[in-house]
């Protein structure tokens, strides 16, 4: 009893404190001159802490995606509910993304950020970046091509999408190769047993890595805040606040509202269980790097079945990005306003579709949305070079949109789990 009153605060609390300290410390360091030796020293150590944490997450992410998908699919098939899980997952992914983009378009065209700004202000910046334009067709061709790769190369190079595809093939093959009534029942292959064991071990390693999360979060946020160009942030303030607000509404109202409607679970229950994943996503700006934590939260805190989480979350980390989709739609309108163009309803619909496809094509890594943003701009005839305006503020917006991307994945896993028969 006595001991428990003296216990260290829980991991969640430690991560939160670390995030708050990182933001404050980074903001303070930002005000110091670049030559200040204390600033350099703190940033040096913050850099080491941040890259240690991210490095460890990256160490487990490829084996984790691979094993959790194969095991997830193999178990799903065994339970005869695979079809349902696919349908529910994709249906919910698309529904939430449509809602996210529609919200972004509505609010942005109501506020009209940037319509009063003088574009000349950005003329220099626009000339600076030579973005590589890509047509919609080229973009699709590139995505399709990037789906299939020698799995060893894909794993070695950390290319997540082809790993996902190979894992899906292997998972389905494992099930189909088993004969329901013979000596090879589904799930009876030794490989599946091995992968199951590997998954259990990986989850244990992730538990250890999570103990370092407060230090990692502290380092990452200190560096991020200290190295932002505050002058530019102020100029672009209106747009930054707007995107934060829209993303916040989606994450705090739309997603929890859907969850409540479909499962009766309260927003507080969701945030309590998902907290570590959301803060990690915020600090790392990477859905993929956060995946180990996301799986941990969904399974251990929110009680999502292992096979459902093992399927929905890895796929969601690469494909389901509500935050990115709404950001890309809002940014396209913002650029249009800056250029003095009012996009027609038809053009806004094109923005809606391309923002969804672009976010699906964006891998879950920092600033990935920036790359696919070019496609959205070009789809409605806006200059791709305009991403020069968005680049300097991208990292700061990437924090919250990644957190909402991960929240969307978690909510989907809970909803899908609740729709399945208890016996699954
Ligand atoms: N950083 C985001 C993620 O990992 C992707 C993006 O929008 O850039 O989910």
């Amino acid at each position: 009893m006595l001991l428990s009153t003296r216990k260290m605060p829980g991991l969640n609390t430690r991560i939160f404190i670390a995030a708050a300290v990182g933001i404050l410390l980074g903001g303070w360091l930002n005000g110091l001159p670049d030559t200040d030796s204390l600033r350099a020293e703190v940033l040096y150590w913050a850099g080491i802490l941040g890259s240690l944490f991210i490095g460890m997450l990256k160490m487990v992410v490829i084996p984790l995606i691979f094993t959790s998908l194969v095991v997830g699919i193999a178990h799903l098939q065994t339970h005869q509910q695979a079809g349902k899980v696919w349908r529910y997952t994709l249906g919910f992914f698309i529904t939430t993304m449509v809602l996210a983009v529609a919200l972004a378009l509505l609010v942005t065209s109501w506020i009209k950020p940037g319509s009063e700004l003088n574009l000349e202000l950005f003329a220099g910046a626009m000339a600076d970046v030579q973005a590589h334009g890509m047509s919609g067709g080229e973009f699709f061709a590139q995505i399709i091509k990037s789906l299939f790769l020698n799995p060893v190369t894909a794993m070695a190079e950390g290319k997540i999408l082809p790993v996902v595809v190979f894992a899906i093939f292997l998972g389905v093959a494992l099930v189909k190769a088993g004969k329901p009534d013979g000596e090879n029942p589904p799930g009876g292959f030794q490989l599946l047993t091995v992968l199951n064991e590997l998954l259990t071990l990986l989850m244990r390693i992730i538990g250890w890595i999570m103990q370092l999360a407060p230090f990692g979060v502290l380092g990452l946020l200190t560096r991020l805040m200290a190295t932002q160009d505050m002058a530019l942030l102020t100029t672009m303030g209106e747009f930054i606040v707007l995107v934060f607000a829209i993303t916040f509404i989606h994450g705090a109202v739309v997603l929890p509202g859907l969850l409540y409607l479909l499962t009766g679970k309260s927003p507080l229950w969701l945030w309590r269980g998902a907290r570590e994943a959301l803060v990690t996503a915020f600090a790392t700006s990477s859905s993929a790097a956060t995946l180990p934590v996301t799986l941990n939260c969904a399974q251990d805190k929110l009680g999502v079945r292992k096979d459902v989480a093992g399927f929905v979350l890895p796929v969601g980390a690469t494909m389901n990005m509500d935050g990115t989709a709404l950001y890309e739609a809002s940014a396209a309108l913002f650029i249009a306003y800056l250029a003095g163009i009012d996009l027609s309803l038809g053009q806004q619909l094109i923005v809606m579709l391309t923002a969804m496809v672009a976010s699906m094509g964006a891998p879950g890594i920092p600033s990935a949305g920036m790359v696919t943003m070019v496609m959205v701009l070009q789809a409605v005839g806006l200059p791709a070079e305009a991403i020069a305006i968005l680049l300097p503020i991208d990292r700061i917006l990437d924090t919250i949109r990644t957190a909402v991307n991960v929240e969307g994945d978690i909510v989907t896993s809970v909803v899908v789990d609740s729709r399945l028969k208890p016996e699954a």
Side-chain angles (χ1 to χ4, degrees):
M1 271 288 141
L2 256 183
L3 266 182
S4 69
T5 54
R6 290 210 202 127
K7 250 194 344 204
M8 257 215 284
L11 184 60
N12 273 330
T13 321
R14 278 182 279 145
I15 292 180
F16 259 114
I17 296 174
V21 174
I23 290 173
L24 291 176
L25 181 63
W28 175 67
L29 291 176
N30 197 299
L32 298 181
D34 282 0
T35 47
D36 188 281
S37 60
L38 177 69
R39 179 180 191 273
E41 184 84 359
V42 176
L43 285 189
Y44 172 75
W45 288 107
I48 291 189
L49 283 183
S51 30
L52 255 180
F53 181 54
I54 298 244
M56 285 190 201
L57 285 174
K58 281 193 180 152
M59 172 180 82
V60 287
V61 82
I62 292 278
L64 180 70
I65 289 181
F66 179 70
T67 37
S68 64
L69 262 178
V70 178
V71 169
I73 291 170
H75 284 154
L76 283 180
Q77 291 289 133
T78 323
H79 292 307
Q80 308 283 320
Q81 299 214 49
K84 257 190 182 173
V85 176
W86 277 103
R87 278 199 306 276
Y88 286 148
T89 304
L90 287 185
F92 200 74
F93 279 173
I94 292 174
T95 310
T96 57
M97 270 202 266
V98 168
L99 289 175
V101 178
L103 179 73
L105 290 178
L106 271 177
V107 179
T108 313
S109 51
W110 175 47
I111 304 277
K112 299 198 190 320
S115 47
E116 76 292 348
L117 270 187
N118 180 0
L119 193 63
E120 287 306 304
L121 195 67
F122 298 111
M126 291 194 54
D128 275 356
V129 169
Q130 264 308 77
H132 304 290
M134 235 195 265
S135 71
E138 281 168 344
F139 184 79
F140 279 116
Q142 182 144 338
I143 290 194
I144 300 288
K145 247 173 77 185
S146 69
L147 289 180
F148 305 99
L149 201 66
N150 167 359
V152 181
T153 309
M155 286 188 193
E157 291 178 0
K159 294 196 167 135
I160 289 178
L161 219 49
V163 175
V164 167
V165 172
F166 182 68
I168 293 176
F169 271 110
L170 191 62
V172 174
L174 261 177
V175 174
K176 297 283 177 209
K179 299 184 206 96
D181 306 313
E183 74 258 49
N184 279 336
F189 272 83
Q190 300 221 336
L191 178 62
L192 190 54
T193 318
V194 171
L195 289 178
N196 242 323
E197 287 172 3
L198 182 58
L199 190 57
T200 312
L201 297 178
L202 284 170
M203 294 310 283
R204 180 172 286 249
I205 296 174
I206 289 158
W208 296 335
I209 298 175
M210 278 316 291
Q211 294 302 319
L212 295 176
F215 302 103
V217 166
L218 172 69
L220 288 167
L221 289 183
T222 303
R223 266 190 88 86
L224 175 65
M225 290 307 293
T227 51
Q228 284 303 308
D229 180 347
M230 289 293 172
L232 190 71
L233 285 191
T234 325
T235 314
M236 305 288 285
E238 192 188 355
F239 177 63
I240 295 175
V241 171
L242 180 72
V243 173
F244 261 91
I246 302 173
T247 317
F248 186 78
I249 297 174
H250 190 73
V253 181
V254 179
L255 286 176
L258 278 176
L259 180 74
Y260 182 72
L261 279 180
L262 295 169
T263 68
K265 303 280 188 202
S266 79
L268 269 186
W269 174 86
L270 170 71
W271 292 322
R272 241 180 241 141
R275 217 155 29 176
E276 286 166 11
L278 300 184
V279 178
T280 309
F282 186 89
T284 59
S285 292
S286 166
S287 307
T290 309
L291 185 63
V293 189
T294 316
L295 271 167
N296 187 292
C297 288
Q299 287 170 199
D300 295 353
K301 310 255 166 59
L302 300 171
V304 176
R305 263 165 284 199
K306 213 166 124 188
D307 46 5
V308 175
F311 171 74
V312 175
L313 297 174
V315 175
T318 49
M319 276 185 61
N320 181 44
M321 298 199 178
D322 293 3
T324 303
L326 73 78
Y327 166 72
E328 298 200 348
S330 186
L333 285 201
F334 175 57
I335 296 295
Y337 288 129
L338 280 178
I341 302 168
D342 233 334
L343 293 181
S344 67
L345 197 65
Q347 285 173 310
Q348 295 200 22
L349 277 179
I350 295 178
V351 168
M352 182 163 187
L353 279 179
T354 45
M356 282 174 61
V357 174
S359 69
M360 283 177 166
I365 54 172
S367 289
M370 261 304 90
V371 180
T372 55
M373 180 78 226
V374 174
M375 175 192 158
V376 183
L377 292 175
Q378 293 207 321
V380 281
L382 291 166
E385 288 77 9
I387 61 160
I389 294 169
L390 303 171
L391 270 176
I393 54 168
D394 185 60
R395 281 296 284 115
I396 202 109
L397 293 175
D398 204 2
T399 52
I400 186 163
R401 73 171 185 252
T402 308
V404 167
N405 287 345
V406 167
E407 186 188 3
D409 300 339
I410 294 181
V411 168
T412 307
S413 71
V414 176
V415 169
V416 171
D417 190 62
S418 76
R419 300 272 120 180
L420 300 181
K421 289 190 210 89
E423 261 320 284

